[in-house]
Amino acid sequence: MKEGSESFNFIEQIVEQDLAAGMPKEQLRFRFPPEPNGYLHIGHAASICLNFGLGERYNAPVNLRFDDTNPSKEEQEYVDAIKRDIEWLGFKWATECYSSDYFQQLYDWAVQLIKDGKAYVDKQSAEAMAEQKGTPTSPGVESPHRNQSVEENLDLFERMKAGEFEPGTHILRAKIDMASPNMLMRDPLLYRIVKKAHHRTGNDWCIYPMYDYTHGQSDYLESISHSICTLEFKSHRELYDWFLDQIADPNNLRPKQREFARRNLSYTVMSKRKLLELVQTKTVAGWDDPRMPTISGLRRRGYTPDSIRKFSEASGITKRDSVTDVALLEYCIREDLNKNATRVMGVLDPVKLVITNYPEGKTEMLVADNNPEIEGSGTHEVPFSGELYIEKEDFKESAGSKFFRLSIGKEVRLKNAYIIKGESVVKDEKGNITEIHCTCDLDSRSGSGTEASERKVKGTLHWVSIPHAVKAEIREYDRLFLDEAPDSHADKNFMEFVNPNSLNIIKEAYVEPFLQNAKLDDKFQFQRLGYFTLDKEASNDHLIFNKTVGLKDSWAKQQPKADQAKSNQPAAQQNQNQQQRSAINEIQKISKKYTNLSGDKLATARASIMNLAEGVEYEELQPLFNTAAKKVGTRIGVMISLGVLLKKGLIRNSEIDAFIEAGLQDKDEMLVEEAKRINLE
RNA sequence: UGCCCGAUGGUGUAAUUGGCAACACGUCUGUUUUUGGUACAGAAGAGUCUAGGUUCGAGACCUAGUCGGGCAACCA
């Protein structure tokens, strides 16, 4: 829950305004209304956190309402998954509701609309009606059935309900305005015939209400005070209100629809239709594939409820469309797991390390902290021996001083164990390293308190003792799409951007025996590698870990830079350019606040600009002549710099004259003064 | 050619409702470190889409424009 001092998002502001206008706090009631036709995703989490967050903040009930008006798409499986996900996120709904609970009431109201002359049964084809609807720029024409008698409409609607007609032959429409600039007001559909069993009402009905006719009324029936949905429903608001005008009792609470922007995440897609396509095309293994942005996918991947709630809060609620960087999501999960994950060791890409001076056949149990971030989190034992696995990339035969890992002749610390020194390597006939031989400082055991154990060495490696190693499968995931916004291209289908290497399975990784007892939902940090969690497919004799997210890796970031430095021959020249650029930039920076300065500070600023202007070319200064009129400070800075250049011998031209003239005409006195000064000199 | 939204550092959001543009992520420096993680300290990066207007004062208000999004499913 938020602190009182934090700012309100615009939805919270609306609630605050309603409260300030006299709405009793007890009347506040919210709802989260998923359609059970797919799994919840991280975008829904925004809505869930918003609605349930509002409920927590104002101590108001929040209903979970399944918007189940279309039996051809909806299934019980989805209802169950949605409930599981919301509970997992840590939210409690007040009442579990279904739009289908209101079918009878909705039907009765429809009959009333017909009696009031505000609805009619149309028998035209979908195509004919679409044509009559017109376009956003031209009005529609009225249906030939629009003015049928009430009796005929009542009879037809009754027979629709009785199952006398086939799907597509008859529908019930509201009679509103075929010329409305809002397409949704052009006699929208209220009921259609669907001869399919409904997951809750079975075969009781063969006519089903449309979303627009259902949603507002459901809100009304549940006394929802604020009905929050996404932006694409903005134009539905007029219809939402029209229906309430027809049926609502003014003595009852009238729900209010408000809209916010959907959340998009970079490098993924968010629509249920597209996620379904990924599932159906077997691009992913299912709705809960750890690469999916679904709540269940993220959970299986190792995300925690806290991290997702934190992410939702950090992303905010607005009305503008945007793409949130996955880096923020990853930050949220790292932050949580850093604090809470148990530290262990595992080697993903093993190479054998032999300690030549360690007593042959000896084994000892060493002590490892469970979590250095939590005081009192305890320790566990790690077996050590003379033959270990270490990570292949942690060894180089010879390396520069920036490589803090193992190489011949160099010392590193084995985490929780000894300091070792690289001595030699054994290679196969192809030249691949098969064994690394090293010696070990037997006095340097971690925690032994000896002087040697306190020695500082540059690097620390993780390891696993070969005789004790437990084999495990590791699944590493990369972004599912190679494009930042895969569904934003008009000319390309999002499926074209699927990353072919989004899943990397390591069959033979080795982990410390402590992990033999890992349970589902346990969170681990494989030290120096990342965060891992047991996958649901794992068994006692076949451990499978999902990599949730890697640790931040500033070493990996350095690598490309090192390569770059080598290839960058004209580095000096580039440096010079940068300096030149920074002179003009520096002038701009000082100028920005120029008009806020006075006295000594002003004089200093002016002197600095003049000084910097010595190193500026006319070509750099000229574009700034177009600086917007209101950016007076920048124009003053440019004027001063121009004075310096002219003094140095720059020839006046028409551009310069125009800029000075404009300065003389300006209403800012400082600017006028600078312009005059140039003319005097 | 209509109607409705929106536009603030690279990204996502703030700005106490008209008073020196802030926070987070990301990036870059440094310190600490038995995780090249964490923590800590610091830096760079925006004149708030453009042009006018109102005002002592505009990111905010007004007008016009530009750009982006939504609106013509028997989907929700």
Side-chain angles (χ1 to χ4, degrees):
Chain A
M1 205 160 148
K2 286 188 180 177
E3 306 272 324
S5 61
E6 280 182 66
S7 61
F8 292 102
N9 65 46
F10 83 99
I11 295 285
E12 291 165 336
Q13 282 176 25
I14 288 167
V15 174
E16 286 292 324
Q17 281 159 15
D18 288 338
L19 252 21
M23 173 183 244
K25 209 177 160 192
E26 301 69 47
Q27 271 184 18
L28 289 180
R29 189 181 287 266
F30 308 94
R31 111 264 90 118
F32 174 65
E35 183 192 8
N37 69 340
Y39 280 58
L40 260 24
H41 54 63
I42 187 80
H44 292 113
S47 177
I48 294 171
C49 293
L50 175 61
N51 282 295
F52 284 95
L54 249 12
E56 286 177 1
R57 176 174 210 146
Y58 295 103
N59 195 24
V62 183
N63 287 349
L64 169 60
R65 181 169 71 233
F66 290 97
D67 220 336
D68 56 350
T69 57
N70 186 359
S72 53
K73 284 185 176 175
E74 294 147 8
E75 295 170 24
Q76 188 62 38
E77 177 204 346
Y78 296 129
V79 170
D80 298 337
I82 288 167
K83 287 164 67 176
R84 201 187 312 132
D85 287 346
I86 297 172
E87 281 175 333
W88 177 76
L89 279 172
F91 293 112
K92 279 196 166 59
W93 51 87
T95 314
E96 180 179 333
C97 309
Y98 294 82
S99 295
S100 52
D101 292 343
Y102 315 132
F103 280 172
Q104 185 59 47
Q105 175 64 263
L106 258 5
Y107 175 81
D108 294 343
W109 274 329
V111 169
Q112 191 57 49
L113 282 177
I114 294 172
K115 287 181 180 165
D116 293 343
K118 293 192 170 149
Y120 62 96
V121 173
D122 206 328
K123 304 183 195 178
Q124 301 181 92
S125 67
E127 298 73 41
M129 283 188 286
E131 207 167 304
Q132 286 164 13
K133 200 148 198 180
T135 70
T137 53
S138 63
V141 298
E142 297 186 350
S143 161
H145 303 281
R146 197 171 201 259
N147 293 310
Q148 277 162 185
S149 69
V150 168
E151 291 68 35
E152 186 171 2
N153 284 323
L154 243 22
D155 174 61
L156 254 16
F157 189 45
E158 179 63 31
R159 287 162 63 191
M160 276 170 67
K161 182 191 178 222
E164 284 186 36
F165 305 125
E166 288 311 301
T169 61
H170 293 69
I171 52 100
L172 184 71
R173 299 176 78 173
K175 192 195 280 190
I176 307 181
D177 177 9
M178 289 305 288
S180 171
N182 184 348
M183 298 296 290
L184 290 158
M185 299 300 278
R186 323 248 261 227
D187 288 11
L189 270 63
L190 266 43
Y191 269 92
R192 77 289 212 190
I193 298 167
V194 182
K195 296 197 169 170
K196 284 228 166 86
H198 185 276
H199 72 112
R200 303 196 85 228
T201 60
N203 293 311
D204 292 355
W205 298 86
C206 63
I207 56 172
Y208 290 91
M210 302 289 288
Y211 164 83
D212 284 306
Y213 180 65
T214 308
H215 204 89
Q217 283 85 318
S218 302
D219 288 338
Y220 173 73
L221 288 167
E222 293 174 21
S223 297
I224 301 302
S225 60
H226 298 264
S227 180
I228 302 159
C229 59
T230 43
L231 233 37
E232 70 270 25
F233 291 99
K234 177 66 216 286
S235 51
H236 293 244
R237 191 149 111 196
E238 194 179 354
L239 226 201
Y240 182 100
D241 287 330
W242 188 89
F243 285 126
L244 289 180
D245 286 342
Q246 311 312 312
I247 58 105
D249 180 336
N251 295 317
N252 293 341
L253 177 114
R254 185 179 167 112
K256 179 187 266 196
Q257 175 183 304
R258 288 297 179 270
E259 312 82 12
F260 71 98
R262 284 174 175 283
R263 153 115 38 268
N264 297 299
L265 235 204
S266 60
Y267 298 100
T268 191
V269 293
M270 210 61 103
S271 91
K272 277 195 271 189
R273 206 209 83 227
K274 288 172 184 145
L275 296 176
L276 214 212
E277 190 174 337
L278 290 169
V279 173
Q280 287 178 337
T281 56
K282 301 248 169 21
T283 306
V284 296
W287 283 99
D288 69 346
D289 186 296
R291 292 165 293 181
M292 290 282 270
T294 50
I295 305 288
S296 47
L298 290 166
R299 173 171 60 213
R300 187 168 166 193
R301 172 91 168 243
Y303 277 76
T304 57
D306 277 353
S307 68
I308 291 174
R309 292 173 68 154
K310 178 82 192 283
F311 172 72
S312 290
E313 200 182 309
S315 307
I317 300 288
T318 55
K319 292 172 83 164
R320 59 183 105 105
D321 32 37
S322 56
V323 183
T324 304
D325 197 336
V326 270
L328 182 62
L329 217 210
E330 292 180 346
Y331 165 78
C332 291
I333 188 59
R334 282 197 191 103
E335 189 194 36
D336 188 1
L337 261 20
N338 174 54
K339 265 179 278 178
N340 299 308
T342 302
R343 313 292 138 126
V344 294
M345 290 192 284
V347 176
L348 270 39
D349 187 17
V351 61
K352 185 174 178 180
L353 179 83
V354 180
I355 304 171
T356 52
N357 63 333
Y358 194 78
E360 207 175 321
K362 179 180 172 181
T363 300
E364 61 185 318
M365 299 306 280
L366 303 177
V367 179
D369 281 336
N370 287 333
N371 190 337
E373 303 291 318
I374 305 175
E375 194 126 359
S377 59
T379 58
H380 66 271
E381 290 189 317
V382 194
F384 183 85
S385 71
E387 295 197 343
L388 311 172
Y389 285 127
I390 63 167
E391 216 70 61
K392 258 184 200 147
E393 65 165 24
D394 281 342
F395 176 78
K396 257 195 221 173
E397 279 188 81
S398 59
S401 62
K402 278 190 174 172
F403 187 81
F404 302 163
R405 309 176 181 190
L406 187 64
S407 55
I408 301 300
K410 262 179 61 180
E411 284 192 317
V412 292
R413 158 78 63 184
L414 289 174
K415 180 77 185 172
N416 298 321
Y418 298 89
I419 292 172
I420 57 167
K421 185 197 225 174
E423 302 287 355
S424 63
V425 292
V426 179
K427 295 184 181 176
D428 63 14
E429 59 284 355
K430 286 186 208 140
N432 299 315
I433 296 172
T434 53
E435 275 181 28
I436 301 161
H437 287 199
C438 65
T439 52
C440 147
D441 179 346
L442 293 165
D443 284 334
S444 67
R445 200 185 75 222
S446 295
S448 63
T450 63
E451 203 173 305
S453 74
E454 310 275 307
R455 280 171 54 209
K456 305 282 177 203
V457 287
K458 197 64 184 163
T460 301
L461 306 188
H462 59 275
W463 51 271
V464 172
S465 163
I466 293 178
H468 307 89
V470 176
K471 203 200 281 187
E473 176 178 331
I474 304 287
R475 297 177 183 172
E476 291 183 308
Y477 306 99
D478 196 357
R479 44 190 60 147
L480 233 195
F481 293 91
L482 295 168
D483 189 86
E484 193 174 306
D487 54 2
S488 70
H489 302 267
D491 52 333
K492 281 184 179 162
N493 186 279
F494 74 102
M495 293 294 281
E496 291 179 39
F497 299 104
V498 167
N499 176 5
N501 304 314
S502 58
L503 171 64
N504 178 35
I505 297 180
I506 299 167
K507 285 283 183 192
E508 291 195 28
Y510 293 93
V511 299
E512 61 173 282
F514 179 73
L515 285 170
Q516 190 67 260
N517 303 316
K519 294 188 298 294
L520 217 56
D521 293 334
D522 282 348
K523 302 286 182 271
F524 299 102
Q525 185 199 87
F526 286 18
Q527 286 179 107
R528 304 210 305 133
L529 295 176
Y531 298 99
F532 294 78
T533 196
L534 205 63
D535 187 79
K536 65 173 189 182
E537 290 173 357
S539 62
N540 272 345
D541 48 2
H542 184 55
L543 292 177
I544 304 173
F545 289 97
N546 290 320
K547 181 170 177 180
T548 309
V549 65
L551 254 31
K552 280 222 292 194
D553 190 348
S554 48
W555 168 241
K557 265 192 252 172
Q558 271 180 45
Q559 303 294 38
K561 233 206 266 178
D563 294 344
Q564 230 174 43
K566 261 182 249 162
S567 63
N568 258 358
Q569 293 276 333
Q573 196 191 341
Q574 198 184 30
N575 215 338
Q576 208 175 30
N577 284 342
Q578 250 167 20
Q579 270 171 8
Q580 275 174 17
R581 226 180 297 139
S582 66
I584 188 77
N585 283 353
E586 193 64 19
I587 288 173
Q588 282 181 274
K589 210 175 123 186
I590 297 170
S591 305
K592 269 188 201 174
K593 310 260 165 142
Y594 198 81
T595 50
N596 294 341
L597 304 174
S598 61
D600 287 353
K601 283 186 184 171
L602 183 68
T604 312
R606 190 167 188 281
S608 318
I609 292 171
M610 291 183 74
N611 200 15
L612 285 159
E614 297 285 344
V616 170
E617 301 290 324
Y618 175 68
E619 285 68 34
E620 297 175 282
L621 196 62
Q622 191 276 331
L624 296 176
F625 288 177
N626 298 321
T627 302
K630 66 179 174 186
K631 298 174 188 169
V632 180
T634 303
R635 289 171 70 212
I636 294 174
V638 173
M639 193 68 78
I640 295 170
S641 307
L642 180 59
V644 173
L645 293 195
L646 287 169
K647 225 175 187 174
K648 275 173 63 184
L650 175 68
I651 310 294
R652 282 177 76 140
N653 60 30
S654 56
E655 291 170 333
I656 295 175
D657 289 339
F659 180 67
I660 295 172
E661 186 54 29
L664 288 168
Q665 301 298 323
D666 202 87
K667 38 182 191 178
D668 186 273
E669 283 174 20
M670 281 199 272
L671 180 54
V672 173
E673 200 179 307
E674 293 298 344
K676 276 187 189 163
R677 208 186 286 227
I678 286 184
N679 274 349
L680 286 177
E681 280 162 3

